[in-house]
Amino acid sequence: MIIHGSIRTYNKEKGLKKATNLTLNTEVLAEAKKLGINISKVCDAFLESLVRKEKERLWKLENAKFISEYNQITDEEDLPLDKWRTF
């Protein structure tokens, strides 16, 4: 499938993919190829992980006030429904 002059492929598990250019260390790239490492797959997985961690960090930052206030309430009043907990 060609969209706007870029080659794109569809992967059932990961969705739409787009070809892109990367600048990588030539020695590391050569070693990875010798070892049979799929560069695209590794870069995609690492970037996905990095994006997930950054989104989590930003969510925590944006919700820090609420989290702090909720923790203070539970410290003072215990967890809601805690008296009915059986474990």
Side-chain angles (χ1 to χ4, degrees):
M1 163 185 333
I2 297 178
I3 300 174
H4 301 292
S6 300
I7 297 175
R8 296 184 183 209
T9 59
Y10 185 78
N11 179 305
K12 199 182 260 188
E13 292 89 29
K14 298 285 186 177
L16 192 63
K17 296 201 174 226
K18 180 182 178 190
T20 188
N21 292 323
L22 295 173
T23 303
L24 302 171
N25 179 304
T26 56
E27 293 173 9
V28 175
L29 182 59
E31 288 295 317
K33 285 183 178 184
K34 282 183 195 174
L35 295 169
I37 295 171
N38 183 325
I39 307 302
S40 293
K41 193 173 189 178
V42 170
C43 289
D44 191 44
F46 179 75
L47 185 57
E48 183 180 346
S49 172
L50 191 61
V51 166
R52 184 176 46 253
K53 287 176 186 175
E54 182 62 9
K55 287 171 84 173
E56 181 180 327
R57 186 189 73 78
L58 291 173
W59 184 91
K60 286 178 181 178
L61 190 62
E62 291 168 3
N63 293 283
K65 183 179 177 193
F66 171 80
I67 293 167
S68 176
E69 290 172 359
Y70 184 78
N71 286 339
Q72 184 178 350
I73 290 168
T74 57
D75 285 345
E76 294 168 2
E77 302 175 13
D78 293 324
L79 291 170
L81 309 176
D82 198 35
K83 62 184 174 183
W84 290 287
R85 198 161 87 180
T86 59
F87 54 93

